[in-house]
């Protein structure tokens, strides 16, 4: 199974939450608004967010 075919987690959150310097979380790459609205988004909206954050190199975990 490739990375693209593996099911995604329920949320992009990686528990590295910080929006200290702007409105983008340094861990998951979502905006403050996207984080707040995540549980209310439908699957198509969540997929749009996933596509954007993956293209930008998120989610980022501290390793």
């Amino acid at each position: 199974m490739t990375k693209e075919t593996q099911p995604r987690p329920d949320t992009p959150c990686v528990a590295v939450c910080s929006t200290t310097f702007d409105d983008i979380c340094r861990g998951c790459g979502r905006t403050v608004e996207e984080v707040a609205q995540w549980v209310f988004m439908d699957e198509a909206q969540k997929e749009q967010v996933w596509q954007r954050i993956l293209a930008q190199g998120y989610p980022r975990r501290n390793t």
Side-chain angles (χ1 to χ4, degrees):
M1 188 177 278
T2 67
K3 187 176 184 179
E4 292 80 29
T5 60
Q6 291 178 347
R8 291 192 177 121
D10 293 333
T11 177
C13 182
V14 292
V16 183
C17 307
S18 176
T19 55
T20 303
F21 301 109
D22 57 27
D23 288 335
I24 304 294
C25 178
R26 292 183 348 188
C28 71
R30 293 178 293 170
T31 65
V32 171
E33 183 70 16
E34 288 167 342
V35 171
Q37 294 300 314
W38 188 259
V39 297
F40 304 108
M41 290 181 179
D42 62 31
E43 291 305 312
Q45 292 169 315
K46 289 179 180 180
E47 181 61 23
Q48 283 184 316
V49 174
W50 271 110
Q51 291 295 323
R52 179 181 53 77
I53 66 176
L54 289 171
Q56 294 173 347
Y58 292 95
R60 296 178 180 157
R61 291 175 172 82
N62 285 345
T63 55

